[in-house]
Amino acid sequence: MIDTATIWIVIAALGIGSYFFRFFFIGLIGDRQLPAWVLRHLRYTAVAVLPGLVAPLVVWPPATGGQTDAPRLVAALVTIAVGLWTRNVLLTITAGAAALYLGLYLVG
C-alpha cells in the first residue's frame, strides 16, 4: 500500500502539472491567433480522447469483472455503424444505448 505522504505528493504534482499545461495555452498564448495547423489538429482532440475513454469500458467492462462480452461489442459496432451512416450524435448515442440494453436483455 502507498503511504499517505506519497499519495498527496503525487496529487499535488499532478495538479500543478495540469495547471501549468492549461496556463500555457490560456495564459501565454490565449490572446494570440493560433496558426492554422494548430487549429486543424485541435479539432481532432475529442475524436482522439473519446475512443480512449470508451474502448476500455467495451473491451474490459467492470460490470463483468473485466471479461469481454458480446452485448458490449455489438453495441459498440452498432454505435460506430450508425454514427458513420447518419452523422447524427443523438441518434448514434440512442442506437448504441438501445443495442446495449437489448443485448443485455437477450443474453440475460
Side-chain angles (χ1 to χ4, degrees), residues 1-87:
M1 186 76 184
I2 300 174
D3 62 357
T4 306
T6 304
I7 286 288
W8 283 109
I9 290 170
V10 169
I11 290 172
L14 289 172
I16 291 168
S18 173
Y19 174 81
F20 282 115
F21 277 132
R22 285 180 280 143
F23 178 75
F24 177 74
F25 283 106
I26 296 170
L28 296 180
I29 62 174
D31 59 346
R32 297 186 189 126
Q33 183 66 28
L34 293 175
W37 65 272
V38 173
L39 294 174
R40 185 173 57 246
H41 291 299
L42 286 175
R43 283 189 302 194
Y44 297 108
T45 302
V47 176
V49 169
L50 288 175
L53 293 172
V54 173
L57 297 174
V58 171
V59 180
W60 303 288
T64 62
Q67 298 298 317
T68 305
D69 62 343
R72 285 172 179 78
L73 290 176
V74 169
L77 293 174
V78 166
T79 304
I80 290 169
V82 171
L84 290 173
W85 179 49
T86 66
R87 306 270 188 216

